[in-house]
Amino acid sequence: MTRNVDAPGGDGSADADVLRKLHQTLQRITEDFDTRWHFNTSIALMMELVNVLYEKESRISAAAMRQCLEILTLMLSPFAPYVTQELWEDMGGKGAVIKQSWPAFDANLARATDVEIPVQINGKLRTRISVPVGFDKAALENAARGDEKVQALLDGSTVVKVIAVPEKLINFVIR
């Protein structure tokens, strides 16, 4: 990233998105360290976070970017201690990066606000819709029926059964 982390700017939604992704990543890596010791998934999660940072880089505030980079450096330190020590010092960190306490994730920030739901017709994936977390079965069905692609596929058919699993999937069985 070539952006100056001390530059002002940013937009609230981009900050919220990257901080949510940061705390989700931190939560999953922390849980992996505590239980599974699957380092390859930790590296993959950090790569996903970096991709989100690149995607939203121009819209992130300096404070959010700095927080992301500091925590990312701390998360990466067990895997690449020498490189992260240089990064830590460049960001103004004091002492050995590997001796810093592990950052704590904020469960409220990690909580997703929207979830992507696959929409199936007769068991075949046809599209995906984004709905707020907490939608019940009826609201999920209404949201799916409101999608243009689903309307076109259901048009002229009889819906025999609707299988809706909140926050997981919806399947229309048609004739």
Side-chain angles (χ1 to χ4, degrees), residues 41-68:
T41 56
S42 296
I43 296 295
L45 289 166
M46 285 185 268
M47 290 171 57
E48 286 178 18
L49 173 61
V50 169
N51 288 337
V52 170
L53 289 172
Y54 275 128
E55 177 187 326
K56 298 180 184 286
E57 178 180 12
S58 64
R59 300 186 324 263
I60 303 170
S61 71
M65 179 63 85
R66 182 162 194 82
Q67 182 180 3
C68 288

Side-chain angles (χ1 to χ4, degrees), residues 25 34-35 53 74 76 81 105 117 135 174:
T25 302
D34 288 344
T35 57
L53 289 172
L74 292 171
L76 189 58
F105 64 88
I117 303 290
F135 256 30
I174 63 171

Side-chain angles (χ1 to χ4, degrees), residues 1 3-23 49 52-53 56-73 91 109:
M1 300 204 183
R3 184 165 188 252
N4 179 356
V5 294
D6 296 322
D11 109 20
S13 67
D15 283 1
D17 290 345
V18 297
L19 291 175
R20 180 178 309 108
K21 183 66 175 175
L22 172 70
H23 285 273
L49 173 61
V52 170
L53 289 172
K56 298 180 184 286
E57 178 180 12
S58 64
R59 300 186 324 263
I60 303 170
S61 71
M65 179 63 85
R66 182 162 194 82
Q67 182 180 3
C68 288
L69 294 177
E70 285 177 358
I71 292 176
L72 182 59
T73 301
M91 289 187 293
L109 282 175

Side-chain angles (χ1 to χ4, degrees), residues 6 13 18 29 35 40-41 55 64 67 75 84 90 94 97 102 105 109 126 128 135 139 141 147 153 157 167:
D6 296 322
S13 67
V18 297
I29 290 174
T35 57
N40 56 341
T41 56
E55 177 187 326
Q67 182 180 3
M75 286 189 294
T84 53
D90 286 348
K94 304 290 183 213
V97 70
W102 186 256
F105 64 88
L109 282 175
R126 299 302 181 171
R128 295 177 185 275
F135 256 30
E141 181 179 347
D147 185 77
L153 292 166
S157 301
E167 299 182 22

